[in-house]
Amino acid sequence: MGPRPGSARGPLGAMVAWWLGPAGLRLLLLRAAGAGPAPGSAIGRSAFGAPRRPGVAWRPSRRGGSAAEARTTEAEDDSFLQWLLLLIPVTAFGLGTWQVQRRKWKLKLIAELESRVMAEPIPLPADPVELNSLEYRPVRVRGCFDHSKELYMMPRTMVDPAREARDAGRISSSVESGAYVITPFHCSDLGATILVNRGFVPRSKVNPDTRQKGQTEEEVDLVGIVRLTETRKLFVPENNPEKNHWHYRDLEAMARVTGADPIFIDADFKSTVTGGPIGGQTRVTLRNEHLQYILTWYGLCAATSYLWFTKFMRRSPVLR
């Protein structure tokens, strides 16, 4: 005999009983029998006694599963952030180590340039191509100047190591501005005309008429430092050959204006004559700020490593 009407037996009844719970099943049976709800009955309540909202079906709670999933997601996010932030001290350490190598290279280069400048002078090579490997090397020439074709590199200040050491660290100093006097020099032993930086003159002495005593006409022996052409830096103005204002060494352009070969030397200090430009205007020092960069990068590495260790390695374990 099949299950009676209103009965909770059979497969469908068992499913309904499991879904509604004991209180819900009693309510269903009362409604099937035509009876009204008794006072204090579990009408409108879930199996756990909580009031049920109208039109909303009851479902088993999944709060435990959601909390576990949230904790797993949070742990994954922390792990990703942990290794991402570790890149900061690792990168800073790598840059600091790179600056150590750069400083070694720069110190070696400065030592090489200083030793090259202090070497014994050699005769100026007849082949200009050889000069490409001789920058900052002293050479010896003999000839005479052509003062009618002077060029002026300006503005310039005089190279004075004693003054520069004395004024080091000062915000301002009373350094006089002027120009370098570039004069064609006909080499009698080579039969070529080169460009010679005779040295520094103050602005008031740029006009050659104000320094006639220093305009030597006789043949002289000269020692100078080989210099190569240079490219214009970002904030350096363009050369102005029409006004005879030169801001950087463009040997090809200078050679075209004067008719000389694109060969350039800085006359040494011993070439200075009374009333003439002051020689020895070769600046050999190179910019070397790598020690500051080393301290900066290693300091950043130490600080970020401490913060990373404090956040991810020393925090209290979370109770679960």
Side-chain angles (χ1 to χ4, degrees):
M1 187 173 181
R4 292 176 297 175
S7 168
R9 298 179 181 178
L12 181 60
M15 183 180 297
V16 172
W18 174 84
W19 186 264
L20 296 179
L25 182 59
R26 285 197 299 272
L27 173 62
L28 183 60
L29 294 176
L30 289 173
R31 286 186 175 179
S41 67
I43 296 176
R45 293 181 178 273
S46 67
F48 299 99
R52 191 188 308 278
R53 290 181 294 174
V56 179
W58 179 83
R59 293 290 184 273
S61 174
R62 296 184 178 179
R63 290 183 179 179
S66 299
E69 292 176 0
R71 285 195 298 268
T72 302
T73 303
E74 181 182 356
E76 291 175 354
D77 292 343
D78 284 352
S79 178
F80 174 77
L81 182 64
Q82 173 181 355
W83 297 114
L84 180 64
L85 293 180
L86 185 61
L87 290 176
I88 298 176
V90 170
T91 303
F93 181 83
L95 290 172
T97 304
W98 177 63
Q99 287 297 330
V100 170
Q101 301 302 320
R102 290 278 297 173
R103 183 172 182 268
K104 290 180 180 178
W105 168 80
K106 184 61 70 67
L107 291 176
K108 182 180 178 181
L109 179 60
I110 292 174
E112 290 178 356
L113 292 180
E114 290 177 347
S115 64
R116 182 176 293 188
V117 169
M118 300 303 294
E120 286 294 324
I122 61 174
L124 180 68
D127 185 3
V129 178
E130 294 183 32
L131 297 175
N132 292 332
S133 60
L134 295 178
E135 188 169 24
Y136 291 104
R137 182 65 190 269
V139 294
R140 186 173 55 252
V141 294
R142 181 176 177 82
C144 57
F145 289 104
D146 182 1
H147 299 292
S148 65
K149 297 180 180 180
E150 285 184 347
L151 305 179
Y152 307 111
M153 292 184 66
M154 56 194 309
R156 290 293 188 272
T157 57
M158 187 173 66
V159 175
D160 185 354
R163 175 187 55 77
E164 292 173 0
R166 184 176 62 252
D167 294 344
R170 293 185 181 181
I171 298 177
S172 62
S173 60
S174 56
V175 179
E176 187 175 13
S177 177
Y180 290 165
V181 178
I182 315 301
T183 309
F185 185 86
H186 181 72
C187 301
S188 56
D189 51 349
L190 295 177
T193 301
I194 65 174
L195 297 169
V196 175
N197 175 13
R198 296 185 63 200
F200 172 84
V201 293
R203 187 176 292 274
S204 60
K205 296 289 184 179
V206 171
N207 190 334
D209 294 334
T210 61
R211 46 183 170 84
Q212 284 297 322
K213 188 177 179 180
Q215 304 293 80
T216 56
E217 300 290 345
E218 66 274 9
E219 193 172 68
V220 295
D221 290 311
L222 192 68
V223 173
I225 306 297
V226 175
R227 304 302 306 274
L228 303 180
T229 192
E230 60 182 353
T231 57
R232 185 177 72 90
K233 295 181 174 59
L234 181 60
F235 298 106
V236 175
E238 291 283 358
N239 289 329
N240 191 338
E242 290 75 17
K243 294 185 178 180
N244 200 5
H245 288 175
W246 301 83
H247 302 282
Y248 61 97
R249 283 191 313 275
D250 185 347
L251 298 191
E252 294 294 336
M254 291 178 169
R256 285 194 300 267
V257 171
T258 59
D261 294 322
I263 301 173
F264 191 104
I265 65 173
D266 288 336
D268 65 2
F269 182 76
K270 295 179 182 179
S271 69
T272 305
V273 296
T274 304
I278 301 174
Q281 299 302 306
T282 304
R283 193 179 298 275
V284 187
T285 57
L286 298 178
R287 183 179 180 183
N288 183 15
E289 298 179 350
H290 297 289
L291 182 59
Q292 300 179 25
Y293 300 148
I294 291 171
L295 296 176
T296 298
W297 288 120
Y298 279 154
L300 179 62
C301 174
T304 53
S305 296
Y306 173 78
L307 294 175
W308 185 89
F309 182 81
T310 302
K311 177 174 178 59
F312 295 107
M313 306 301 291
R314 282 180 131 181
R315 60 184 180 181
S316 301
V318 178
L319 299 177
R320 307 193 177 187

